[in-house]
Amino acid sequence: AEIITVNYQPPRGTVSSWGDNYGNRVDRFLACVAYLDGVHPSAVFQRGYYTRMTLAAWDFNGTNLTLRWFFDSNNGYSNFAGQGNHNLSVGDVDGDGFDEIIEGACAIDHDGKGMYATGLGHGDAIHLGDLDPNRPGLEVWEVHESTSAAYGYEMHDARTGQIIWGAYTGTDNGRGLAADIDNGYRGYEMWSASGAGTFSNSGTQISTSKPTINFRIYWDGDLQDEVLDGTKLDKWTGNGTTRLISFYNYNAQEINGTKANPNLVADILGDWREEAIYRSRDNSKLIIFTTTTLTNYKFYTLMHDKIYRLAIAWQNVGYNQTPHPSFYLV
């Protein structure tokens, strides 16, 4: 039964003030769960990221919803307008014990104030994690849509927004992925639709080839990621990929045409490898795939890692992105 209902913040208002007159930009929504006080979960709902950006953080005590804070780029944060993605990430990136919301080219602090904006603009993909374990803190891998952006792809410090490395592309770079696919290089590797091959986390090109640019997944027994695209799961070989399993042989279907993603990738069974969840072709079932490969490595379940767990909550907003833990496995 309904407990409490409040109006969405903010309302649509004048549709054209968000950047068009047909409701595209005003009706772009994201949502996440964040521990803004370090102890209790808050529900954060976002309207707008192409132009005006707003976020409302709500607390629920079992009876009532209370607005913790409301962020609006129109109120003193004009440089945050247009700096959001079709997705977001959540994590304590500044080490204060409270979660921040990473929007892509900007970040919102736990108190609803703006942390930083890189000015590189809107993007379609974001990855937050310990991408470079040789650096302190967490990093963000990001691709950008604007053809005039100084960086079409880049890795930046998740706490400060400082660009660590990247490159100008002059294109709408619509895909980008960070995953630890190569054990010859410590940390994650990165690649994007508009990049010349695959890069290490220091920006060194390690191959002229690159895997598909969609999802990553822990699947076999080693500590490297495998890559997942549509209903095909592949393993990086150093200069290409080899097929491990074709889920389409088992009636699995991706959830959309342009992004070709599974319903969910998550460690739901608890051995640190991840399950891939798809719909059946006739939409009558959910199909869960799990690895049968033994491993010599043991970790606490990934769901015990807060950044990973919160990533499962936000994974299905906007353009799906895969989760990452806060720590580096190797």
Side-chain angles (χ1 to χ4, degrees), residues 16-320:
S16 59
S17 69
W18 295 78
D20 61 50
N21 60 7
Y22 58 96
N24 179 11
R25 282 158 173 75
V26 69
D27 286 336
R28 291 289 183 164
F29 301 99
L30 297 173
C32 63
V33 175
Y35 287 78
L36 301 172
D37 66 357
V39 178
H40 306 99
S42 298
V44 183
F45 293 91
Q46 177 172 344
R47 167 171 253 148
Y49 43 74
Y50 278 116
T51 53
R52 179 187 178 190
M53 176 190 293
T54 66
L55 295 90
W58 296 92
D59 295 338
F60 181 60
N61 64 4
T63 304
N64 293 303
L65 283 165
T66 302
L67 185 65
R68 173 177 286 269
W69 50 252
F70 178 69
F71 174 90
D72 190 341
S73 62
N74 281 356
N75 297 330
Y77 291 103
S78 59
N79 59 321
F80 281 67
Q83 301 302 305
N85 268 29
H86 286 299
N87 25 64
L88 47 70
S89 292
V90 179
D92 177 15
V93 299
D94 59 5
D96 62 1
F98 311 118
D99 284 335
E100 286 75 46
I101 300 164
I102 311 303
E103 290 282 343
C106 68
I108 312 300
D109 211 343
H110 69 276
D111 56 4
K113 298 178 181 178
M115 291 181 68
Y116 62 80
T118 68
L120 295 172
H122 170 74
D124 288 0
I126 177 179
H127 297 274
L128 168 70
D130 192 9
L131 308 183
D132 183 354
N134 296 320
R135 293 185 76 256
L138 304 176
E139 295 81 31
V140 174
W141 169 251
E142 167 84 279
V143 296
H144 299 281
E145 189 171 286
S146 173
T147 58
S148 61
Y151 296 93
Y153 58 84
E154 45 85 13
M155 187 174 81
H156 64 259
D157 187 291
R159 180 179 64 86
T160 66
Q162 177 186 3
I163 306 299
I164 301 168
W165 68 273
Y168 171 79
T169 63
T171 61
D172 175 354
N173 196 9
R175 293 289 185 277
L177 185 59
D180 182 18
I181 58 171
D182 197 315
N183 64 7
Y185 301 87
R186 179 169 165 77
Y188 283 60
E189 289 71 49
M190 294 92 173
W191 59 101
S192 71
S194 298
T198 303
F199 297 87
S200 72
N201 55 34
S202 64
T204 301
Q205 185 179 14
I206 65 171
S207 175
T208 56
S209 299
K210 53 189 173 184
T212 54
I213 312 166
N214 202 342
F215 267 42
R216 51 139 303 279
I217 185 170
Y218 293 128
W219 186 261
D220 64 11
D222 63 31
L223 298 179
Q224 272 61 59
D225 286 300
E226 282 67 57
V227 290
L228 185 64
D229 183 36
T231 52
K232 304 177 290 293
L233 194 156
D234 297 330
K235 189 169 186 65
W236 175 251
T237 61
N239 200 35
T241 57
T242 184
R243 178 64 43 83
L244 294 185
I245 185 170
S246 299
F247 295 127
Y248 57 77
N249 288 330
Y250 302 91
N251 198 34
Q253 184 73 41
E254 62 269 21
I255 60 173
N256 54 47
T258 60
K259 304 302 177 291
N261 294 333
N263 292 58
L264 188 72
V265 167
D267 174 24
I268 64 170
L269 299 184
D271 76 340
W272 74 264
R273 271 83 60 80
E274 293 168 299
E275 283 65 52
I277 304 174
Y278 290 90
R279 64 185 173 106
S280 60
R281 290 195 185 99
D282 63 1
N283 290 320
S284 66
K285 302 178 182 68
L286 284 176
I287 308 174
I288 302 173
F289 294 94
T290 188
T291 185
T292 57
T293 304
L294 297 178
T295 181
N296 294 322
Y297 300 97
K298 290 184 178 181
F299 300 95
Y300 286 105
T301 66
L302 296 184
M303 285 292 201
H304 277 84
D305 181 71
K306 192 169 72 169
I307 285 183
Y308 184 91
R309 188 178 184 91
L310 293 178
I312 305 309
W314 60 244
Q315 187 179 148
N316 279 130
V317 300
Y319 294 176
N320 305 44

Side-chain angles (χ1 to χ4, degrees), residues 7-20:
N7 290 329
Y8 198 96
Q9 296 292 333
R12 295 181 98 210
T14 303
V15 170
S16 59
S17 69
W18 295 78
D20 61 50

